[in-house]
Amino acid sequence: VEEVKGSIPIMVGTGAIDPVAVREMTMQAIDCGCDASLVVSPPYIKPPQRGLIDHFTKMADLGLPVVVYNVPGRTAVDVLPETIGICAEHDNIVAVKEATGDVSRVQTIRGVTKGLKTPLLLYSGDDATEAEFVLKGGDGCISVTANVAPLAMHNMMMAGLQGDAAEAMRINETLESVHSNIFCEANPIPAKWALKRMGKITTGYCRPPLVELDESYFTLVEESLKKAGAL
């Protein structure tokens, strides 16, 4: 935070299964001077939609802008568009990271939030569909691929935001292999190995129970990086 504060907005993940832990991490983020928190729905326990509304709005009450993170593939609960619409009525809930891969949700969420004074920002969290997500009216992405191909992802997003579908899809085609193969093992295992292979970091170490990328995937990830121009 000290290194980049003032240069770029800082959003930190403060999600966890225990609301007490989420609150503590969010307060720490406030103390550190972060600009927003990314709060995932509590994993594993499958809260009902009213429980999700209570959770997200209570974290927003702490004062730090909240980005709701919906990733049912990891949490086992889907934050439904109607739930997002209710949460978005809170002044401190400013965006959603939609990682379902269902691009039709752009229109659905826009529909349930159209009465807001400040439009809710919609970010894709699914690399394979991010170009289409933005072309359908999304505002951008929070991407894994961008860790290894930041300029290409930036250019793709800008093309999409400008309505240049041909350019956005052209760039996306060069990244499709990365979109897929950077998930050959659980994220962030392949991404960290890729960054090490690119010389950006010194180790592919991941905190347990995650481990470093299995060597059987080295060639797969390396070839994907080459196709994307990252090597």
Side-chain angles (χ1 to χ4, degrees):
V1 175
E2 291 176 0
E3 186 171 338
V4 300
K5 180 68 176 174
S7 300
I8 58 172
I10 302 170
M11 177 175 65
V12 295
T14 62
I17 194 171
D18 179 6
V20 173
V22 179
R23 178 185 175 87
E24 289 175 352
M25 288 188 287
T26 303
M27 294 304 297
Q28 183 182 20
I30 292 171
D31 291 342
C32 289
C34 297
D35 300 296
S37 60
L38 179 67
V39 181
V40 71
S41 50
Y44 180 72
I45 56 175
K46 298 184 179 180
Q49 298 299 305
R50 65 184 185 280
L52 293 171
I53 293 167
D54 183 68
H55 179 67
F56 291 125
T57 54
K58 280 182 177 175
M59 297 312 148
D61 285 342
L62 298 174
L64 192 65
V66 168
V67 178
V68 172
Y69 182 12
N70 183 32
V71 57
R74 282 183 174 262
T75 64
V77 64
D78 187 2
V79 186
L80 298 176
E82 295 76 16
T83 297
I84 291 169
I86 294 170
C87 289
E89 294 173 4
H90 195 296
D91 288 344
N92 270 340
I93 294 181
V94 298
V96 59
K97 177 183 177 183
E98 217 344 291
T100 60
D102 179 2
V103 296
S104 72
R105 289 208 171 183
V106 175
Q107 183 177 2
T108 305
I109 295 171
R110 290 286 187 224
V112 297
T113 60
K114 62 184 177 183
L116 295 177
K117 238 181 347 181
T118 303
L120 185 73
L121 295 169
L122 304 185
Y123 297 122
S124 171
D126 178 65
D127 283 290
T129 58
E130 281 163 352
E132 188 180 357
F133 186 95
V134 171
L135 288 168
K136 286 186 176 293
D139 296 295
C141 67
I142 299 172
S143 165
V144 178
T145 296
N147 285 282
V148 299
L151 181 59
M153 286 297 298
H154 168 79
N155 291 341
M156 185 179 80
M157 289 293 101
M158 293 307 296
L161 290 168
Q162 292 161 8
D164 189 344
E167 178 64 4
M169 299 312 292
R170 183 195 68 78
I171 298 171
N172 188 63
E173 188 175 347
T174 70
L175 298 171
E176 284 179 342
S177 182
V178 176
H179 293 334
S180 174
N181 294 330
I182 206 161
F183 295 100
C184 62
E185 286 197 304
N187 181 44
I189 294 172
K192 293 198 74 171
W193 184 88
L195 289 168
K196 177 187 175 185
R197 175 65 182 82
M198 294 166 64
K200 302 295 185 182
I201 58 177
T202 58
T203 177
Y205 172 82
C206 295
R207 285 179 293 177
L210 297 182
V211 292
E212 292 193 41
L213 185 69
D214 188 273
E215 63 180 20
S216 65
Y217 293 111
F218 287 3
T219 300
L220 179 72
V221 176
E222 189 174 68
E223 289 302 315
S224 297
L225 295 174
K226 289 178 180 177
K227 288 179 184 176
L231 281 180

